[in-house]
């Protein structure tokens, strides 16, 4: 019998998930289209592998088990699954067609709307994925500045210019790898010491979980401007979530270029590049960046409907308030239950993360234990609280009740010294890493 949301559940039956996975292994390489959704991030043997339905903040796996989803499809679900206003916009457009032989009016309407809400949007470019617009931003920055080197901080997609600096860089020519350098977040002095006339762009996530030091983003903008380097904000996670206008609105700072995807269309595939008109003008002539499906109308309709809902319903404020209940509630429970030496929740309220200290032991084993126990209780858990507008107060109360159940078990497992023996499935896998953290060099080349 399939599990419902219940603290007294047994571990879910995942027979159909496992059958599908065995089929996938015979025909797919890799078996997942998104690393964070794949079986390496959900414990094989105890966690579901395939979801078939979502409604609000709840999802159902292929075996019929129900969960409160704390992942929000790894970011795109900002309002909720099957959210009526967005789904209706998609249905209305579907009646008239999906992709056309000329441009579509919704391309203009969406760009006008984005210009209203994103502070630096003198011009807007529409594409399909985050990696698309990150690479387009890097290319136009190189063309505009006549320079080739890039400083980056965060995750910026799978394209050669970025992935070459990670451990998954096979197939990327060394000449490409040598053009990108990493810098440490919140360390303005290292950037000042390294910026020179060879650096075209500095791209970063305005924050991931750590908050910027006071004035840090503003000073980055100033030093980039003084050096003739374009500042690019990668707002895949911050955009339309921390504020409708993203980190630029929230921190009152403008980037030369900014890129968005995930939250802006509630699950439909679309990405946005916004920026200075003089830089973006180069897409009209010298810089090539086009894709057949950039004007696909269902996603345009969904994006317009989503941004209007985010703005009209003050969704970022809701995410902040409800995310605070979860983050602060977790930390209060950790103190009350005597596990605060092992774990705490960090980050911004709209997207927080459960962390484990070195005292807890092997971090992947500890996270695997926590995941299996939360999944058992009907919470699809991967360590993050990716909030959406459909997460209700009742959802949060339930999740905190599940944490109250699980944290004492975690404490006992850690203190037993053999947490691995208590796992029902395989230990989670580490995601790829940067080859050398904070390798910042130029002042040409230091």
């Amino acid at each position: 019998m399939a599990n419902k949301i219940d603290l007294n559940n047994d571990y879910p039956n995942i027979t159909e998930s496992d059958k599908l996975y065995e089929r996938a292994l015979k025909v797919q390489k890799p078996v997942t289209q998104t690393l964070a959704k794949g079986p390496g991030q959900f414990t094989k043997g105890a966690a579901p592998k395939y979801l078939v339905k979502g409604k609000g903040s709840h999802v159902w796996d292929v075996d019929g088990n129900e969960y409160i989803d704390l992942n929000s499809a790894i970011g795109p679900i900002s309002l909720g699954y099957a959210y009526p206003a967005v789904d209706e916009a998609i249905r209305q457009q579907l009646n008239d067609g999906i992709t056309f032989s000329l441009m579509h009016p919704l391309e203009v309407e969406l760009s006008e709307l984005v210009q209203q809400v994103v502070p630096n949007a003198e011009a807007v470019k529409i594409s399909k994925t985050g990696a698309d617009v990150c690479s387009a931003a890097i290319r136009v920055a190189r063309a505009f500045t006549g320079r080739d080197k890039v400083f980056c901080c965060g995750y910026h997609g799978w394209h050669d210019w970025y992935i070459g600096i990670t451990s998954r860089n096979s197939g990327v020519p060394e000449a490409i790898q040598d053009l990108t350098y990493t810098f440490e977040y919140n360390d303005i002095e290292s950037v000042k010491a390294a910026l020179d006339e060879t650096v075209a762009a500095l791209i970063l996530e305005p924050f991931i979980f750590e908050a910027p030091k006071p004035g840090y983003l503003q000073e980055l903008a100033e030093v980039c401007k003084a050096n003739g380097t374009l500042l690019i904000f990668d707002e895949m996670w911050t955009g339309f979530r921390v504020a409708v206008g993203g980190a630029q609105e929230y921190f009152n700072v403008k980037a030369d270029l900014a890129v968005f995807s995930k939250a802006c269309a509630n699950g439909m595939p679309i990405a946005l590049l916004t920026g200075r008109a003089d830089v973006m003008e180069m897409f009209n002539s010298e810089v090539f960046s086009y894709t057949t499906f950039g004007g696909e109308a269902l996603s345009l309709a969904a994006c317009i409907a989503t941004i209007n809902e985010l703005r009209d319903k003050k969704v970022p404020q809701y995410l902040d308030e409800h995310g605070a209940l979860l983050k602060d509630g977790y930390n209060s429970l950790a103190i009350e239950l005597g596990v605060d030496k092992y774990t705490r929740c960090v980050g911004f309220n709209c997207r927080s993360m459960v962390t484990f200290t070195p005292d807890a032991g092997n971090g992947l084993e500890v996270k695997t234990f926590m995941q299996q126990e939360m999944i058992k209780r009907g919470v699809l858990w991967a360590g993050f609280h990716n909030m959406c507008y459909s997460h209700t107060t009742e959802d949060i109360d339930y999740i905190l009740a599940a944490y109250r159940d699980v944290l004492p078990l975690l404490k006992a497992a850690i203190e037993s010294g053999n947490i691995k023996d208590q796992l029902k499935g395989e230990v989670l896998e580490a995601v790829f890493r940067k080859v050398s953290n904070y390798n910042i060099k130029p002042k040409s080349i230091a």
Side-chain angles (χ1 to χ4, degrees), residues 51-357:
L51 298 177
V52 293
K53 178 185 172 185
K55 181 67 178 172
S57 61
H58 291 214
V59 291
W60 287 260
D61 70 19
V62 73
D63 288 275
N65 302 300
E66 181 182 358
Y67 310 89
I68 300 171
D69 184 14
L70 279 175
N71 306 287
S72 297
I74 323 301
I77 302 299
S78 50
L79 296 170
Y81 291 98
Y83 189 84
V86 178
D87 286 6
E88 182 57 28
I90 294 168
R91 274 192 291 269
Q92 289 290 328
Q93 181 54 48
L94 184 59
N95 290 332
D96 291 334
I98 300 170
T99 300
F100 299 90
S101 300
L102 295 176
M103 298 176 291
H104 194 278
L106 290 179
E107 297 173 44
V108 183
E109 292 178 32
L110 172 59
S111 298
E112 289 173 338
L113 178 58
V114 171
Q115 192 170 68
Q116 290 172 27
V117 299
V118 174
N120 79 335
E122 294 177 14
V124 180
K125 174 175 165 48
I126 302 167
S127 194
K128 271 322 215 185
T129 72
D132 284 354
V133 287
C134 280
S135 291
I138 294 300
R139 182 177 294 176
V140 79
R142 284 171 164 163
F144 186 82
T145 62
R147 304 171 178 182
D148 56 10
K149 293 188 174 61
V150 174
F151 288 175
C152 69
C153 179
Y155 170 74
H156 308 295
W158 68 272
H159 293 180
D160 285 8
W161 72 267
Y162 169 73
I163 212 68
I165 60 160
T166 74
S167 57
R168 294 287 290 268
N169 60 5
S170 185
V172 179
E174 193 170 335
I176 301 295
Q177 297 177 35
D178 291 344
L179 294 176
T180 302
Y181 301 85
T182 61
F183 65 95
E184 184 172 6
Y185 188 72
N186 267 332
D187 183 357
I188 191 71
E189 295 306 320
S190 70
V191 172
K192 287 181 180 178
L195 275 177
D196 65 16
E197 70 285 351
T198 68
V199 183
L202 184 151
I203 182 170
L204 80 159
E205 296 184 69
F207 67 80
I208 302 177
F209 296 104
E210 179 185 355
K213 292 176 181 175
Y216 171 69
L217 295 174
Q218 288 78 2
E219 194 168 0
L220 264 185
E222 290 166 11
V223 299
C224 284
K225 183 177 182 180
N227 192 64
T229 294
L230 296 191
L231 175 64
I232 305 170
F233 279 179
D234 181 339
E235 296 224 43
M236 299 302 152
W237 277 106
T238 54
F240 302 97
R241 186 171 262 110
V242 69
V244 176
Q248 295 181 90
E249 177 188 337
Y250 188 84
F251 295 110
N252 191 28
V253 58
K254 277 189 186 180
D256 296 298
L257 300 169
V259 290
F260 305 85
S261 190
K262 293 192 186 284
C264 66
N266 198 48
M268 289 295 280
I270 195 166
L272 307 169
L273 167 56
T274 65
R276 284 168 40 185
D278 58 341
V279 179
M280 300 284 282
E281 177 61 32
M282 298 199 77
F283 286 118
N284 277 329
S285 54
E286 299 172 52
V287 176
F288 192 91
S289 176
Y290 296 94
T291 179
T292 300
F293 295 105
E296 177 265 301
L298 302 186
S299 295
L300 296 169
C303 195
I304 292 168
T306 299
I307 293 173
N308 282 326
E309 285 289 298
L310 292 169
R311 182 174 60 177
D312 297 347
K313 301 283 176 65
K314 297 181 170 57
V315 170
Q317 181 181 331
Y318 181 95
L319 303 184
D320 181 62
E321 292 169 353
H322 285 70
L325 295 174
L326 196 48
K327 184 179 85 171
D328 297 343
Y330 182 92
N331 288 332
S332 295
L333 279 173
I335 293 167
E336 176 191 336
L337 299 170
V339 292
D340 51 312
K341 67 184 274 191
Y342 301 129
T343 182
R344 67 187 294 262
C345 189
V346 302
F348 280 67
N349 295 335
C350 62
R351 185 193 182 217
S352 58
M353 174 176 67
V354 172
T355 64
F356 302 102
T357 68

Side-chain angles (χ1 to χ4, degrees), residues 397-420:
D397 288 344
Y398 180 84
I399 294 164
L400 290 173
Y403 278 140
R404 180 177 287 280
D405 249 17
V406 170
L407 285 172
L409 300 177
L410 181 73
K411 182 174 189 282
I414 290 169
E415 293 177 355
S416 74
N418 66 341
I419 195 166
K420 192 171 184 180

